[in-house]
Amino acid sequence: MNDLDLLANLITRARAAGADAADAVLVAGTSLGVQWRFGRTEHLERSESRDLGLRVFVGRRQAVVSSSAVDPAGFSVLAERAVAMARVVPEDPYAGLAELAAPPDDVAVLELDDPAEPDAEALMARAAAAEEAALAVPGVTNSEGAEAGYGRIVVGLASSAGFAGGFVRTSHSISASVLAGSGTAMQRDYDYATAVHLSDLDDAVRIGRSAGERAVARLNPVRPKTAKIPVVYDPRVAGGLVSHFAGAINGASVARGTSFLKDLLGSRVFAADVMVVDDPRRRRGLRSRPFDGEGVPTRVLALVEDGVLTSWLLDARSARQLGLRSTGHASRGTGGPPSPAPSNLYLQPGRLSPAALMADIKEGLYVTELIGMGINMVTGDYSRGAAGFMIRDGALAEPVAEVTIAGTLPAMFAALVPADDLVFRRGTDSPTVRVDGMTMAGS
């Protein structure tokens, strides 16, 4: 019996137990990972899992149960338990299966399944190459190690509304973390890369060298005086601003009234020409998928066009609360109900190079690392620890540490200017961005 037949069997048992509707998800995963430090393997781990989740509806009441025992002999008991739970929970007027569920189109066009599965020796060699390159950088004095990994996840989803579909997604990764300097003056930094296909993964030597150079560049940081200055975010941290935006347009938060953007649909929230896109259809995308966690077909969606907020991120429940339709952004595991989440989210690049973006800055801050999560999503207040480099007369200058940058996300979004250096590496991606008028709290 294949995975979709198993799910159909489970839904049949749920209906027989008294469920008015049901859906079920099966997630099977395989992973292999190596941790390498100072020329030897510190940890080698392989794991395999296979988990099942069942969601049932009795009227407007719902319940979710999960199990790691994927055995049809136990499906009746699992279904009866779920239905019994649903009968005693409060009604939810917005509960129910997605209305837009439809069979998925050709999954193969997304190219999410790489047949190249590395063995432990290949991962060891990759991690060793990364660490060796990092340690070879002059000034690097210690290593936190390098890691290489591989994963493969198989997802199957079926519902009593007639939906049945599945897909496979693989991942390859490499990372390195090292220290430079000595004693209390040591500085740490890292670099990493992840790709669906091994052929797209960044070279391990380049990742290691980048980690070493980043660590050395941070030596002997200063703590500048408090000032109101332009702040430029390195792409590695600029994606965090895009993530904050995604949280603010999450349909569940908007419906609860806990987002600072809740009343601004159709309004300008970024500067003109700024565009934010969610693309679950990207070929070999880290979060690409043919359908969402409720079986709704995915599509490319411009969330911001010419600076104007055009859409929320919606699953079926939040869409009903807001009187809208699902945007195909339901995300789920096996142990809980769906909730809205982005897929391959990115800020579209601008016209200026990073150098041109900084050229007119007499004094500013270039941020390479952010610390803490001082974000109030109700008000948009923003305050985070930061490290990076001062910008003086348009160029990077001395390293900086132990400062705090603060502002409000509405004002930051309105002032944000993207550079032209977007690279898809993390699932939520951004080019270098500049935000004027922020407060840097230092000495």
Side-chain angles (χ1 to χ4, degrees), residues 227-234 352-367 389-397 415 417 419 432-438 440:
K228 194 166 187 177
I229 57 175
V231 172
V232 177
Y233 287 76
D234 183 88
L352 299 175
S353 69
L357 195 69
M358 297 190 296
D360 67 337
I361 298 177
K362 182 174 179 59
E363 181 180 64
L365 176 67
Y366 185 89
V367 177
F389 302 87
M390 291 300 294
I391 303 170
R392 300 197 185 279
D393 296 323
L396 296 186
V417 180
T432 301
V433 300
R434 171 176 170 172
V435 181
D436 286 359
M438 294 191 67
M440 176 184 68

Side-chain angles (χ1 to χ4, degrees), residues 147-190:
E147 297 184 14
Y150 164 80
R152 186 174 190 267
I153 185 171
V154 181
V155 177
L157 175 69
S159 79
S160 59
F163 177 86
F167 63 91
V168 177
R169 184 167 54 223
T170 52
S171 65
H172 302 264
S173 63
I174 180 68
S175 67
S177 177
V178 292
L179 298 98
S182 61
T184 58
M186 295 181 78
Q187 293 291 326
R188 168 195 172 274
D189 216 317
Y190 66 94

Side-chain angles (χ1 to χ4, degrees), residues 279-345:
D279 183 6
R281 311 295 301 182
R282 183 185 305 140
R283 174 178 164 269
R284 300 190 179 190
L286 291 173
R287 299 177 186 166
S288 294
R289 56 193 182 190
F291 54 86
D292 75 353
E294 296 177 298
V296 177
T298 56
R299 59 188 174 90
V300 181
L301 181 63
L303 301 166
V304 173
E305 294 186 86
D306 194 26
V308 175
L309 175 60
T310 60
S311 178
W312 309 122
L313 296 173
L314 300 171
D315 63 354
R317 185 180 185 280
S318 61
R320 293 189 188 102
Q321 285 182 281
L322 296 169
L324 301 169
R325 294 169 71 86
S326 171
T327 57
H329 285 92
S331 178
R332 72 191 297 181
T334 57
S339 60
S343 61
N344 300 306
L345 183 67

